[in-house]
Amino acid sequence: MKMNKKLVVATLSTVMGIGLVGSISGTVAWYQYSTRSMATLIGTEVSHAGTVTLSTDGTNYSGRLWTNDILGSNSVKFHQATFGKLNNDGSLPAQAYLNPEAGYGALNLWDKAVAGVDYVQFDLYFRALELKNSSDLYERVAKDIYLTDVVIEDLDSGKDISDAVRVHFQNKNDATDNWFLSKEAVTGQKVGAYLDLDRDGDPDKERSEYIYEPDPSAPDCKYGQFSGDTPLEQLDTKGIDDTIASENASTGALEDTTGKFHVTTLNATEYAANSNTDVCYTVTIWLEGWHVFSGATDAIWDLQSTYDASFHVGFTFNAGSNVFDVDA
């Protein structure tokens, strides 16, 4: 007997509010976003022959994980932030930053973004189980599960915010297995630039001992770098079409899987040999502060066009048809 099996990760829905942040000295930071509500469904379709379940802690598995299962009682308030340049292997730097103040360009002078407060980050474990007729029990099996659909979309007509959404999957057991996604592929994203945060019409000057008066001799302030003048770039993001396999509408079989994002679960022997840890990805979702929107000339957003915007993020992982066999 052969059964079709699909794992679905559906609809991370976040309603965003946007407000302008200012400091006592009158300098202007980036725009700030506050999450008013979040609804997430992560679930599976269960067949009699096999199933794929998910966990956030590697111990408690379920066919469905809701927002509360992932975030608990935390109230996440998204702020426009940046991790700067990603590591050469595609992994995410440990620290994100936000709210640059005019005149302070180096990242270590910015506020530190906090996971679970300014952006979302959680672990997602995958486990495939197959029914064994000999024991009438489910056992761990190795199955290839592909990403077959991604939704990153704005919910408000004319309010563009979803283009700035970044999603990063990082395999906790393989530093080279990283996937960096956005709605559309982004190449050459600058994460260092001269800005006019104080809105005086000229590039900001580096802050010096002259706190209340400008220093005409100070150099222009380069934001987003720890040191040096060379413009920094993040690694390019993959767009939706770059990461998903296709599914045959008639048969349910997966097609065009080469080079697409997939997870290979562990069988019982592999699981025991890997300290009883299933395959796990750390998922990070944030709003990239350096994203430049269509029609804009820099990373400073237009408050009127993005205020009170909302968006959806969703994923579908699919094992395809005929992947679970009842073992005699």
Side-chain angles (χ1 to χ4, degrees):
M1 179 180 180
K2 296 178 181 289
M3 302 293 293
N4 187 19
K5 179 68 193 69
K6 181 184 291 184
L7 164 66
V8 178
V9 180
T11 310
L12 167 59
S13 174
T14 308
V15 180
M16 314 296 289
I18 179 171
L20 191 62
V21 180
S23 71
I24 294 175
S25 63
T27 57
V28 179
W30 277 337
Y31 299 111
Q32 184 179 31
Y33 300 82
S34 298
T35 300
R36 298 190 311 206
S37 65
M38 177 181 286
T40 304
L41 167 64
I42 299 179
T44 61
E45 296 174 7
V46 180
S47 73
H48 296 293
T51 184
V52 179
T53 56
L54 301 173
S55 173
T56 59
D57 60 10
T59 301
N60 300 294
Y61 281 80
S62 174
R64 290 183 176 180
L65 299 177
W66 300 89
T67 299
N68 188 63
D69 299 317
I70 295 174
L71 300 179
S73 59
N74 293 336
S75 178
V76 177
K77 295 183 178 181
F78 279 79
H79 296 72
Q80 193 175 11
T82 187
F83 285 87
K85 185 179 184 296
L86 271 62
N87 299 322
N88 290 335
D89 60 5
S91 60
L92 204 63
Q95 183 62 59
Y97 299 87
L98 73 167
N99 290 342
E101 186 177 352
Y104 297 101
L107 280 175
N108 60 300
L109 299 178
W110 301 12
D111 293 338
K112 291 183 178 180
V114 178
V117 176
D118 303 305
Y119 60 94
V120 169
Q121 187 172 76
F122 60 93
D123 288 340
L124 189 60
Y125 293 82
F126 294 82
R127 177 181 292 180
L129 302 173
E130 189 170 81
L131 180 64
K132 303 297 180 180
N133 279 349
S134 57
S135 62
D136 199 28
L137 298 173
Y138 283 95
E139 296 183 8
R140 288 180 180 83
V141 289
K143 296 295 179 182
D144 288 320
I145 303 168
Y146 286 87
L147 182 65
T148 56
D149 187 53
V150 179
V151 174
I152 303 176
E153 62 181 5
D154 292 295
L155 296 182
D156 297 303
S157 178
K159 301 231 176 151
D160 298 326
I161 189 174
S162 62
D163 285 348
V165 173
R166 300 292 185 268
V167 183
H168 189 273
F169 289 84
Q170 185 166 326
N171 191 324
K172 297 189 73 171
N173 295 318
D174 182 355
T176 64
D177 183 12
N178 301 282
W179 292 84
F180 190 24
L181 317 180
S182 56
K183 185 167 69 173
E184 301 290 344
V186 177
T187 59
Q189 177 66 70
K190 302 297 183 184
V191 290
Y194 298 103
L195 299 174
D196 179 20
L197 294 182
D198 60 14
R199 299 298 182 95
D200 66 358
D202 296 310
D204 299 330
K205 297 291 186 179
E206 288 186 5
R207 186 67 67 88
S208 65
E209 60 181 320
Y210 298 95
I211 299 177
Y212 301 106
E213 293 292 333
D215 179 6
S217 65
D220 290 344
C221 183
K222 186 67 165 291
Y223 292 94
Q225 300 179 198
F226 287 107
S227 63
D229 294 326
T230 302
L232 296 179
E233 294 181 2
Q234 286 180 338
L235 295 182
D236 298 338
T237 68
K238 293 181 178 295
I240 293 173
D241 291 340
D242 300 324
T243 58
I244 61 173
S246 57
E247 183 178 4
N248 187 292
S250 299
T251 66
L254 299 185
E255 304 169 332
D256 188 27
T257 59
T258 302
K260 303 304 172 64
F261 180 22
H262 83 283
V263 178
T264 302
T265 61
L266 303 179
N267 62 32
T269 301
E270 293 168 331
Y271 175 79
N274 282 273
S275 302
N276 292 340
T277 300
D278 289 307
V279 175
C280 177
Y281 284 80
T282 297
V283 185
T284 308
I285 303 173
W286 76 96
L287 294 171
E288 177 52 57
W290 285 109
H291 181 81
V292 179
F293 285 85
S294 177
T297 57
D298 56 33
I300 301 300
W301 291 23
D302 175 18
L303 181 62
Q304 183 177 0
S305 64
T306 57
Y307 179 79
D308 204 24
S310 56
F311 64 87
H312 274 163
V313 178
F315 311 96
T316 299
F317 287 90
N318 190 344
S321 63
N322 302 325
V323 297
F324 286 103
D325 298 321
V326 176
D327 185 8

